[in-house]
Amino acid sequence: MLPPTILSIAGSDCSGGAGIQADIKAISALGSYAASVITAVTAQNTLGVQSVYPIPADMVKAQIISVMDDLQPDAVKIGMVHDAGIVTVIARCLKKYCPKFVVYDPVMVSTSGRCLMTEETIRAIKVELFSLCTLVTPNLSEASLLWGQVITDTVEMQQAARELSGRYNTAVLIKGGHLEGNNMCDVLYYQQPSAGADDLPSGCILYSTPKIESRNLHGTGCTLSSAIATFLAGGSKLDEAVRKAKEYISTAINQGKDMNIGHGNGPLWHFPLSE
């Protein structure tokens, strides 16, 4: 009776709220085994990112090979990929090892709207990486960048998700956490064939939930994508995995909303609260 093994390929957040650290917490809280490949070491905290040091591509490759050869992960989650060389290494390893599920959270744009990647890196991701993924989970800013125009409502989210899914041959979940109003709506679009959605017809599913008032939202994207990968590895179909992951992250936001960890945008709370 072995739990699923999930490999997170992402950057390290020394403050523990996002990146590899958030991934390990989410995967562990959901009862699976977390392995990690670090793509960058960051100096960051709840107030922002102060510095980023990319790990050399050959070292990223060595980490992936070590995990893949021994642990044979059931799913892979990809987060921060800082340069084109690392994109190429990851893509080649995915082709070699063919993990059943790959969930990619494309960390392309900061909360303030600043692009975090060079054009070369974005081009490499579009050409080499997207088509190898089961699911890509851009936020509104990232989806707008990929689509080529600003997305402002759920109608445009559905249009963008459909076009991006067809363009890159992968399922797309656009996260609507920054939409105006009191509800948060995410839009999933998948088409055949898509790993994890083999018995589902093509189309959009909208996931609408009330917004939770909280300043502690550091690591929500990392947590959601890790949770989706974990549920896929556990046997859930794609739409069910997204639904369960959204329920998990809502709980984690609720549990962390009144905490004071750090002086800025604090983290979620992944585990049951002590009595």
Side-chain angles (χ1 to χ4, degrees), residues 142-158:
E142 290 153 356
S144 297
L145 175 66
L146 293 168
W147 194 34
Q149 64 186 74
V150 176
I151 301 169
T152 59
D153 57 34
T154 56
V155 173
E156 293 174 345
M157 288 172 71
Q158 292 177 70

Side-chain angles (χ1 to χ4, degrees), residues 88-154:
T88 297
V89 160
I90 294 172
R92 288 175 179 171
C93 288
L94 292 178
K95 289 178 180 178
K96 176 180 177 180
Y97 291 100
C98 300
K100 187 173 182 181
F101 304 108
V102 179
V103 178
Y104 178 29
D105 178 23
V107 186
M108 293 179 168
V109 182
S110 70
T111 303
S112 63
R114 182 171 64 91
C115 187
L116 301 175
M117 292 180 178
T118 65
E119 285 295 327
E120 179 188 13
T121 304
I122 294 173
R123 184 166 54 251
I125 288 168
K126 291 176 178 179
V127 173
E128 300 182 50
L129 195 53
F130 277 161
S131 64
L132 302 175
C133 298
T134 307
L135 176 69
V136 177
T137 64
N139 61 27
L140 283 177
S141 297
E142 290 153 356
S144 297
L145 175 66
L146 293 168
W147 194 34
Q149 64 186 74
V150 176
I151 301 169
T152 59
D153 57 34
T154 56

Side-chain angles (χ1 to χ4, degrees), residues 150-235:
V150 176
I151 301 169
T152 59
D153 57 34
T154 56
V155 173
E156 293 174 345
M157 288 172 71
Q158 292 177 70
Q159 295 172 343
R162 183 181 296 109
E163 290 185 25
L164 292 174
S165 177
R167 187 184 303 172
Y168 298 115
N169 193 32
T170 181
V172 175
L173 177 71
I174 298 180
K175 299 172 292 190
H178 292 100
L179 286 174
E180 296 293 330
N182 296 321
N183 287 323
M184 191 192 82
C185 184
D186 294 352
V187 173
L188 171 67
Y189 186 85
Y190 47 85
Q191 60 180 351
Q192 299 294 355
S194 175
D198 51 295
D199 61 350
L200 298 172
S202 300
C204 280
I205 296 179
L206 276 63
Y207 302 86
S208 184
T209 55
K211 280 188 178 177
I212 302 169
E213 290 300 323
S214 175
R215 74 185 184 101
N216 298 329
L217 300 173
H218 188 48
T220 50
C222 309
T223 299
L224 180 66
S225 51
S226 295
I228 293 171
T230 304
F231 284 120
L232 286 172

Side-chain angles (χ1 to χ4, degrees), residues 13-132:
D13 172 7
C14 57
S15 70
I20 286 285
Q21 287 81 351
D23 296 341
I24 291 173
K25 290 174 186 178
I27 294 164
S28 301
L30 291 171
S32 289
Y33 183 80
S36 64
V37 166
I38 297 176
T39 60
V41 175
T42 70
Q44 66 173 291
N45 51 31
T46 63
L47 300 173
V49 178
Q50 291 80 47
S51 183
V52 177
Y53 178 78
I55 301 299
D58 58 351
M59 186 58 191
V60 174
K61 177 181 178 181
Q63 292 177 80
I64 296 174
I65 290 172
S66 291
V67 174
M68 287 292 188
D69 281 348
D70 185 30
L71 304 184
Q72 300 171 351
D74 300 282
V76 173
K77 174 263 166 85
I78 303 171
M80 182 182 186
V81 182
H82 201 62
D83 64 52
I86 294 176
V87 174
T88 297
V89 160
I90 294 172
R92 288 175 179 171
C93 288
L94 292 178
K95 289 178 180 178
K96 176 180 177 180
Y97 291 100
C98 300
K100 187 173 182 181
F101 304 108
V102 179
V103 178
Y104 178 29
D105 178 23
V107 186
M108 293 179 168
V109 182
S110 70
T111 303
S112 63
R114 182 171 64 91
C115 187
L116 301 175
M117 292 180 178
T118 65
E119 285 295 327
E120 179 188 13
T121 304
I122 294 173
R123 184 166 54 251
I125 288 168
K126 291 176 178 179
V127 173
E128 300 182 50
L129 195 53
F130 277 161
S131 64
L132 302 175

